Amino acid sequence: MAITDWPADERPRERLLAHGAEVLSDAELLALFLRVGVRGKSAVDLARDLLGRFGSLSALCTASVDDFSSIPGMGPAKYAQLQAVLELARRALGEEMATRDVLDSPRAVRDWLRLKLAGLPHEVFMVLLLDAQNRVIASEELFRGTLAQTSVYPREVVKLALLRNAAAVILAHNHPSGVGEPSHADQLLTRSLTQALALIDVRVLDHFIVAGTASPVSFAERGLL
C-alpha cells in the first residue's frame, strides 16, 4: 500500500507537521528524505531495507557511494542529497558553537561530534579550539589511526593552540569498536595534554569519546579532568 493510501494520522509527513520530527522513527524520517519508494515498496519499506542493510542510521550515513548505490532505487544523486543534508546539520551546529559559549550549549557540541566522527572505520583525534568566551574558533583533525590506536603528540596540540591563539580547547576522538568507555591510555593522554597545554595557559574544558550513535562520553562529567 502506498503511503498516500494510509490514514492521514499515520503518514510520516502529517505526523511530523502535527507532532514534530522527534515522534518519527528512523525509518519514517528516512522515508521523508527518500520521498518515493520503488515498485512494490513504499518509501517506508525502502527506508527499512536501507537500515537493515547497513545495520544502523549512523552506518548508512557514513556508507560509501558505491555501497549506498548498490541498493535498488538508490544512486549517486540520492547519495549526494544525503551527504548535503548531513553537512547542513554539521554547519548549523558549527554556527551555534561559534556564536555561543559551548558550556551553555553542550548538546550542539555532542551532536556535531557525533555527526563528524560516529561510524568512521578508523580512529580520529580532533581538537576544538576556543576563544576567551568559549566560542569555537576552529576544529582540526590532528591524527588519524588504525582501528585500534592513534598516536597523539602533545607538542602538535600545543603548536596548534598557539597558532590559533586559543584560550581553551575541547578534545575528542572516536572508538570505532563502538565501546565508549575511556581506556587507561585515554586517561593518560588527557592528563598529558592538560599538563602540556597548562604551560601555555590554555585550558582543557573536556575530552569526548564518540562511539556509535550513543551520546559522546564526557571526561568532565566523569570527573576525569
Side-chain angles (χ1 to χ4, degrees):
M1 183 185 295
I3 292 177
T4 52
D5 296 326
W6 294 9
D9 61 355
E10 294 182 11
R11 299 172 194 164
R13 181 183 301 166
E14 283 71 14
R15 290 181 61 221
L16 183 150
L17 293 174
H19 306 292
E22 63 274 8
V23 305
L24 300 187
S25 67
D26 290 348
E28 289 172 321
L29 288 170
L30 187 55
L32 286 177
F33 165 76
L34 296 172
R35 295 182 57 199
V36 297
V38 294
R39 183 180 296 274
K41 292 183 180 181
S42 70
V44 172
D45 292 329
L46 181 55
R48 288 174 180 150
D49 284 351
L50 281 167
L51 291 172
R53 161 67 173 79
F54 290 100
S56 69
L57 191 58
S58 176
L60 169 63
C61 292
T62 56
S64 69
V65 62
D66 289 338
D67 286 344
F68 184 88
S69 300
S70 69
I71 304 298
M74 298 298 99
K78 189 65 69 175
Y79 178 83
Q81 291 175 19
L82 177 60
Q83 295 308 310
V85 169
L86 293 171
E87 184 58 28
L88 284 171
R90 292 187 193 101
R91 294 187 186 190
L93 291 168
E95 287 180 359
E96 182 176 346
M97 294 190 300
T99 56
R100 294 180 55 187
D101 185 330
V102 297
L103 299 180
D104 292 334
S105 54
R107 177 198 56 79
V109 177
R110 278 185 156 96
D111 288 347
W112 186 88
L113 288 171
R114 191 161 43 195
L115 281 171
K116 194 76 174 177
L117 299 178
L120 292 178
H122 48 265
E123 193 166 328
V124 168
F125 183 86
M126 295 193 68
V127 179
L128 300 181
L129 300 124
L130 314 177
D131 64 15
Q133 285 73 47
N134 293 334
R135 298 172 302 199
V136 173
I137 302 168
S139 62
E140 297 281 348
E141 177 186 312
L142 283 186
F143 308 102
R144 177 175 296 201
T146 63
L147 181 68
Q149 182 177 355
T150 293
S151 297
V152 178
Y153 302 100
R155 66 177 179 273
E156 297 299 325
V157 180
V158 169
K159 284 168 57 179
L160 178 63
L162 288 171
L163 178 66
R164 294 289 191 167
N165 196 30
V169 300
I170 291 175
L171 311 171
H173 75 281
N174 63 317
H175 282 180
S177 65
V179 178
E181 286 300 309
S183 67
H184 182 61
D186 292 334
Q187 295 180 52
L188 289 177
L189 171 63
T190 304
R191 192 175 305 130
S192 175
L193 290 172
T194 300
Q195 293 170 349
L197 288 163
L199 295 175
I200 58 169
D201 201 25
V202 173
R203 296 170 296 137
V204 176
L205 298 186
D206 210 336
H207 185 170
F208 287 101
I209 297 177
V210 179
T213 58
S215 180
V217 173
S218 162
F219 277 53
E221 291 178 358
R222 293 284 187 92
L224 298 175
L225 277 179

